[in-house]
Amino acid sequence: MAIIHKATLSPSKLELIADYLPKQPWFIQDGSPELIGAYRFDDPAGEVGLETHVVTAGERVYQVPLSYRGYELAGAEEWLLGTMDHSVLGKRWVYDACADPIYVKALATAILTGQQEAEQFVDGEPEPRPSTVTVKGSGKLDGGFPTLSASAPVSGSGVTIIDAGELRLKVARVVDVAADASANSAAAPELHSELTLNGTWAGLENPVELAAVIRN
């Protein structure tokens, strides 16, 4: 469960993303980024906000996972988008979440166990707020979760790879909206060995692959 505060942010999340994207090897400058939607994972400790934004720029769709912290993440300066003033929580350090171990564990858990995005509750309101992007993992693990360790992510053409101990994660940065992830997940096991996180949003005909666990 994610608690959303009624707050003003300076700079805004989209402003931070717009400044960060042109610096990434997987981004092709083609117009200003516009937000399609977002989904959240839950930090069980309740300290780190985990929100993944899906944005469009030109004809491409990008995925930008962010983590929001009330303190600096040691060794992650390269992945810092910047800081923002949150009118309720105060100063927040905003990181590319692929470098944040809390996000890595949350992503792996969702993929391996078949979880969906976290329910979002606006502070003071009894009913959850619908997520603008819905996701679900394809795994069915109910025990024996692998040991994870922190590792610097490596970004290439359209993807970021995270070596996390016993697992390797692949996060799509450029989202292939033409591919039907539901068709892949229905394929024979010998043809489709990856476990995936698939997502959808308004206007998208079929779910798309957003992340995967791949073999080391």
Side-chain angles (χ1 to χ4, degrees), residues 40-118:
R40 287 180 177 260
F41 290 136
D42 185 42
D43 170 20
E47 292 187 359
V48 180
L50 303 172
E51 184 177 31
T52 298
H53 298 263
V54 178
V55 302
T56 181
E59 297 182 353
R60 295 174 180 82
V61 175
Y62 299 94
Q63 182 177 211
V64 188
L66 300 181
S67 66
Y68 311 122
R69 289 175 166 265
Y71 50 89
E72 294 182 72
L73 177 60
E77 295 82 4
E78 178 183 352
W79 303 92
L80 178 68
L81 273 73
T83 60
M84 66 182 179
D85 292 322
H86 189 291
S87 62
V88 175
L89 300 176
K91 186 176 182 179
R92 306 291 283 173
W93 280 260
V94 182
Y95 290 93
D96 185 321
C98 289
D100 195 314
I102 303 298
Y103 167 78
V104 172
K105 183 175 181 179
L107 175 61
T109 300
I111 293 173
L112 294 176
T113 65
Q115 284 185 17
Q116 296 179 280
E117 73 280 0

Side-chain angles (χ1 to χ4, degrees), residues 9 11 34 49 54 69 75 97 103 135 138 142 158 162 164 181 206:
L9 306 175
E34 298 179 8
V54 178
R69 289 175 166 265
Y103 167 78
V135 298
S138 66
D142 58 7
I162 308 167
N206 298 304

Side-chain angles (χ1 to χ4, degrees), residues 18 21-24 26-34 55-62 174:
L21 282 178
K23 304 171 186 175
Q24 307 315 306
W26 37 265
F27 180 74
I28 298 175
Q29 186 72 52
D30 186 13
S32 300
E34 298 179 8
V55 302
T56 181
E59 297 182 353
R60 295 174 180 82
V61 175
Y62 299 94
V174 181

